[in-house]
């Protein structure tokens, strides 16, 4: 009897010692339950714990996945807020409006009766007149310069002829030299007359230039604004000057006097 009590006490002590370990490991508790009346309970607890751990792992994975997704979304949001849209430059032709008509044949708008073309017609006419006047002045100055160069050459030729020593010349040679000198003097006289005419031509051409001043950008801006019926900026003015340059040349050529 005493021995039996001793054995039972020892088993009880062993069971108590094993209980914490069994409680911490679901699988261990289940196996231990096969030897005692609480085995099924231990197995159930083990399954519950295992399920809990699995769910916890799944939740953790889901949370981690969600965190990664959110991070990507945050990065995208950051990119969207830090990238500024570059504004597009306003289309030139949108600014031009009716000014696009300046690209038409010159006769199409120079002969137009529309009031919106009046300023441009006046500008082109004035510019063509100024161009012709300046061309005439340039030509007059060029002729004067050429005639003056020729006169200088004749004067030098005359000086060289007059410098010739006639002491050893025959009478015939002296007569030939005198005739040559007379001819050069005659050419000089003609050349002086030409230069006088050239000088007057330059003065007349200068008067034409003074009376036909070239229109400035301000007058062009005013003409463009009248035609476009809206403000004109430097980009439009530069464009118009480029387009009208050829038109002005054509108008000048059509009105050139021989």
């Amino acid at each position: 009897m005493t021995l039996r009590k001793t054995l039972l006490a020892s088993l009880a002590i062993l069971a108590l010692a094993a209980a914490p370990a069994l409680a911490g490991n679901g699988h261990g508790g289940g196996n231990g339950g096969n030897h005692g009346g609480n085995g099924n309970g231990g197995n159930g607890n083990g399954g519950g714990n295992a399920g809990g751990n699995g769910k916890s792992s799944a939740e953790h994975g889901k949370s981690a996945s969600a965190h990664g997704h959110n991070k990507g979304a945050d990065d995208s949001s950051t990119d969207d807020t830090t990238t500024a849209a570059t504004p597009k430059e306003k289309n030139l032709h949108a600014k031009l409006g009716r000014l696009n008509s300046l690209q038409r044949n010159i006769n199409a708008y120079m002969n137009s009766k529309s009031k919106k073309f009046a300023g441009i017609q006046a500008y082109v006419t004035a510019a063509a007149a100024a161009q012709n006047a300046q061309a005439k002045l340039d030509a007059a100055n060029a002729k004067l310069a050429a005639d003056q160069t020729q006169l200088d050459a004749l004067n030098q030729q005359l000086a060289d002829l007059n410098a010739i020593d006639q002491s050893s010349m025959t009478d015939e040679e002296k007569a030939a030299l005198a005739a040559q000198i007379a001819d050069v003097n005659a050419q000089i006289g003609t050349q002086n007359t030409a230069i006088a005419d050239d000088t007057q031509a330059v003065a007349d051409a200068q008067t034409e230039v003074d009376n036909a001043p070239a229109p400035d950008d301000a007058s062009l801006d005013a003409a463009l604004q009248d035609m476009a019926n809206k403000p004109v900026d430097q980009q439009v003015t530069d464009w118009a000057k480029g387009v009208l340059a050829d038109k002005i040349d054509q108008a000048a050529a059509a009105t050139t006097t021989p």
Side-chain angles (χ1 to χ4, degrees):
M1 185 65 179
T2 301
L3 180 59
R4 185 178 179 182
K5 290 181 178 180
T6 302
L7 290 173
L8 289 174
S10 299
L11 288 174
I13 293 172
L14 290 172
L16 291 173
L22 294 176
N25 188 335
H27 294 293
N31 291 334
N34 291 332
H35 297 286
N38 294 328
N40 291 333
N43 192 17
N45 291 335
N49 290 337
N53 290 337
K55 183 177 180 181
S56 176
S57 297
E59 291 295 335
H60 178 71
K62 183 177 180 180
S63 175
S65 175
H67 179 69
H69 176 73
N70 290 336
K71 182 179 180 181
D74 290 343
D75 291 343
S76 175
S77 175
T78 299
D79 291 342
D80 290 342
T81 56
T82 56
T83 302
T86 302
K88 294 182 179 179
E89 183 178 1
K90 188 174 181 181
N91 186 280
L92 173 61
H93 290 287
K95 294 182 183 180
L96 295 177
R98 288 185 300 190
L99 295 179
N100 282 296
S101 297
L102 296 180
Q103 300 178 88
R104 298 163 58 191
N105 182 284
I106 184 174
N107 294 325
Y109 59 86
M110 286 301 291
N111 297 325
S112 175
K113 302 302 182 183
S114 174
K115 292 182 179 180
K116 68 181 181 180
F117 285 107
I120 293 296
Q121 291 169 345
Y123 176 84
V124 171
T125 300
Q131 184 168 303
N132 283 338
Q134 185 61 51
K136 185 179 290 187
L137 176 60
D138 292 343
N141 279 317
K143 188 175 187 305
L144 175 59
D147 285 345
Q148 184 62 56
T149 298
Q150 187 173 351
L151 177 61
D152 292 342
L154 289 171
N155 285 328
Q156 183 61 51
Q157 184 178 355
L158 180 61
D160 292 341
L161 290 173
N162 287 328
I164 293 176
D165 183 9
Q166 301 184 30
S167 60
S168 60
M169 283 184 174
T170 63
D171 292 340
E172 291 79 4
E173 290 175 339
K174 290 179 181 180
L177 177 60
Q180 189 175 1
I181 291 174
D183 179 63
V184 171
N185 273 321
Q187 293 184 54
I188 290 174
T190 301
Q191 198 64 21
N192 280 325
T193 300
I195 288 177
D197 293 341
D198 292 345
T199 303
Q200 184 60 51
V202 168
D204 293 342
Q206 183 63 58
T207 300
E208 289 188 34
V209 168
D210 295 340
N211 293 333
D216 55 18
D217 284 356
S219 61
L220 176 58
D221 287 343
L224 293 174
Q225 289 178 15
D226 287 344
M227 182 175 178
N229 196 27
K230 59 182 179 180
V232 173
D233 61 17
Q234 190 60 46
Q235 183 184 22
V236 173
T237 300
D238 291 342
W239 175 87
K241 288 174 71 174
V243 171
L244 292 176
D246 180 59
K247 313 299 182 182
I248 292 170
D249 288 344
Q250 294 179 47
T255 56
T256 299
T257 56

